[in-house]
Amino acid sequence: ADYRASAEYRKGAPSTRANKDRYLAMIEDRWGPFDYRTLTQDKAQTFRDEFFDTPGKADNLMMTLSALMGWAVRRGRTPANPCVGIGRLSDGEHKPWPQDVMDRALD
């Protein structure tokens, strides 16, 4: 609730906030109200890994959790963000253009 009331959260566009809300709800469903200091990197990574079959969702979940934890660090509620260093699962949804296509587009 405090994060949702913060400037960091409120400055986002309505669509950004709606997206974050979707992932904040997943975090709340998992842990409910929790002490930020109890979240370890292992717990965060295990949560991400549960969404291995949907890598985009896993990455968005971790970005939201990391934003929440970064906010908590800046307010002195926890000493560190355990999401730092947890890698992405997705490679992105678009492949780079082959060189011949890139050359034609640049011409």
Side-chain angles (χ1 to χ4, degrees):
D2 290 346
Y3 175 66
R4 284 188 174 114
S6 73
E8 290 90 341
Y9 172 83
R10 292 184 332 205
K11 75 179 181 179
S15 60
T16 300
R17 289 192 308 268
N19 193 46
K20 279 188 179 181
D21 284 342
R22 186 174 15 262
Y23 294 102
L24 288 170
M26 292 170 66
I27 294 164
E28 290 168 340
D29 287 346
R30 175 61 173 261
W31 292 305
F34 72 98
D35 182 343
Y36 299 100
R37 295 168 294 181
T38 65
L39 183 63
T40 63
Q41 190 170 54
D42 181 56
K43 284 182 187 177
Q45 190 152 354
T46 298
F47 191 25
R48 182 211 60 182
D49 291 350
E50 290 174 17
F51 298 93
F52 177 79
D53 292 334
T54 52
K57 180 186 262 186
D59 292 345
N60 281 315
L61 173 63
M62 290 311 299
M63 285 189 293
T64 302
L65 184 56
S66 185
L68 173 66
M69 294 305 295
W71 173 86
V73 167
R74 290 187 297 279
R75 278 155 183 77
R77 296 181 184 202
T78 190
N81 182 344
C83 300
V84 171
I86 296 177
R88 298 173 56 92
L89 289 181
S90 69
D91 293 330
E93 58 185 84
H94 302 290
K95 301 272 187 227
W97 286 1
Q99 189 60 48
D100 65 315
V101 174
M102 178 69 84
D103 292 340
R104 285 194 315 256
L106 290 173
D107 285 340

